[in-house]
Amino acid sequence: MKTAVFSDIHANPAALQKAINSARRLGCENFICCGDIVGYGYAPNECIEICKRNNIECIKGNHDAALVGELSLDWFNPTARDGVLSNRPLVTDENRKWLEKLPFTIKKKFAGTNVAFSHGTYAFPERFNYIDDVYAAKVEMGLIRNDGIDVLFIGHTHGAELYARSTSEDDNLVYGQLPKQKSKRFGQPFEGWSEAIFNVGSVGYPRRCLYSTYAIIDDETKLVEWRRLTFDYEGYIKALESMGRAIPVWLQARLVYINGGEDEK
């Protein structure tokens, strides 16, 4: 059985549907989203409807919490704040209630391995703390181990990464980002770690790489495989401009880069 794990959709239905189509072609039967269905993008309500239609198990991200008023916008940067405020009137009352009911974490078992899913840290998930360096990963590994969790899947940073160690006493973590070579896929063992944290990247707002990324858990091969999809930057920018939204600096720079060179396939 294969399970696709998405994160950080950020109100981008075109990217979400492309990821779903890709995962289905590769044999995925189950779908999980590690949060941030809304925010930044242009069609939050449509993304929620797509998640509901495809029975995607979703957890709550910081942008989802902010949209329904559970998290203050004071610590959001201006672009993130603008995204939430512009998304709020676009979400129906029914779908706001759906967002409110989302859990902060999900626990499952894959091939005998205890697995959890959260947006940021599994410990105190409502704080939406980042796991974005080796120190934060080591702290989190100790906390998930205390709760009987072997493997954690997250999003939040928008970067596909792995933190893992072979024993709980091992201070030498395996750390790696998704390779930059021209490849659509990159896999790592799912089993054999004392603790492991897999960041699946971002489907709808890939500010840390050129691509939309997600991951597949394969019970049969015991692998986690990241998938990399080309991202429609021009279409995304046009959608934002049609709403009178400002274009983030990173997105403007990315468009210049892509127009000036060959995009990886």
Side-chain angles (χ1 to χ4, degrees):
M1 182 179 68
K2 293 182 179 181
T3 299
V5 187
F6 309 135
S7 191
D8 296 274
I9 296 164
H10 284 304
N12 187 339
L16 173 57
Q17 192 60 60
K18 185 173 183 177
I20 292 170
N21 294 344
S22 167
R24 288 198 187 281
R25 284 195 301 269
L26 294 167
C28 292
E29 300 175 0
N30 300 307
F31 301 88
I32 295 172
C33 175
C34 289
D36 275 2
I37 302 155
V38 304
Y40 288 127
Y42 58 93
N45 206 67
E46 186 175 347
C47 285
I48 294 170
E49 291 296 334
I50 291 172
C51 288
K52 290 162 68 173
R53 278 199 308 273
N54 288 275
N55 296 315
I56 300 176
E57 288 188 76
C58 296
I59 58 179
K60 190 179 296 182
N62 55 310
H63 288 252
D64 308 319
L67 187 140
V68 299
E70 295 176 358
L71 185 66
S72 172
L73 289 172
D74 290 346
W75 67 285
F76 279 49
N77 66 54
T79 301
R81 189 180 305 116
D82 174 66
V84 171
L85 292 175
S86 67
N87 275 196
R88 274 180 178 164
L90 303 178
V91 176
T92 64
D93 289 343
E94 178 185 343
N95 284 336
R96 283 176 64 95
K97 292 177 182 176
W98 182 85
L99 286 174
E100 289 172 356
K101 292 178 181 178
L102 294 180
F104 288 113
T105 62
I106 294 173
K107 291 183 184 180
K108 289 186 177 290
K109 190 179 285 287
F110 290 89
T113 301
N114 295 318
V115 182
F117 302 82
S118 62
H119 188 58
T121 55
Y122 172 80
F124 309 106
E126 71 283 356
R127 298 180 184 177
F128 303 108
N129 293 325
Y130 287 92
I131 302 174
D132 54 4
D133 58 32
V134 170
Y135 175 76
K138 286 181 179 180
V139 172
E140 185 71 3
M141 284 176 178
L143 294 170
I144 65 173
R145 171 55 57 196
N146 290 339
D147 203 34
I149 301 299
D150 304 305
V151 176
L152 175 64
F153 283 84
I154 62 170
H156 202 18
T157 70
H158 296 215
E161 298 172 319
L162 166 68
Y163 299 92
R165 60 185 177 186
S166 56
T167 70
S168 58
E169 291 78 30
D170 187 3
D171 282 336
N172 297 314
L173 264 65
V174 173
Y175 166 71
Q177 295 181 329
L178 192 66
K180 294 182 179 179
Q181 71 260 29
K182 294 185 177 181
S183 172
K184 290 184 178 180
R185 55 189 290 183
F186 177 68
Q188 282 286 343
F190 181 67
E191 296 183 315
W193 308 110
S194 172
E195 300 93 21
I197 300 171
F198 290 88
N199 192 317
V200 302
S202 172
V203 164
Y205 200 74
R207 64 185 174 214
R208 287 184 56 186
C209 67
L210 287 174
Y211 306 97
S212 171
T213 60
Y214 71 96
I216 294 174
I217 305 170
D218 191 327
D219 276 1
E220 186 174 330
T221 64
K222 307 297 191 297
L223 283 175
V224 174
E225 183 180 288
W226 285 274
R227 300 296 304 190
R228 187 154 48 186
L229 304 173
T230 53
F231 187 85
D232 181 10
Y233 287 98
E234 291 183 342
Y236 184 66
I237 287 174
K238 287 179 181 177
L240 291 179
E241 289 178 335
S242 70
M243 300 174 66
R245 299 275 302 285
I247 307 303
V249 173
W250 75 267
L251 200 52
Q252 297 174 32
R254 192 66 51 78
L255 190 60
V256 170
Y257 175 86
I258 290 174
N259 285 342
E262 183 183 357
D263 191 8
E264 294 185 46
K265 304 298 182 185

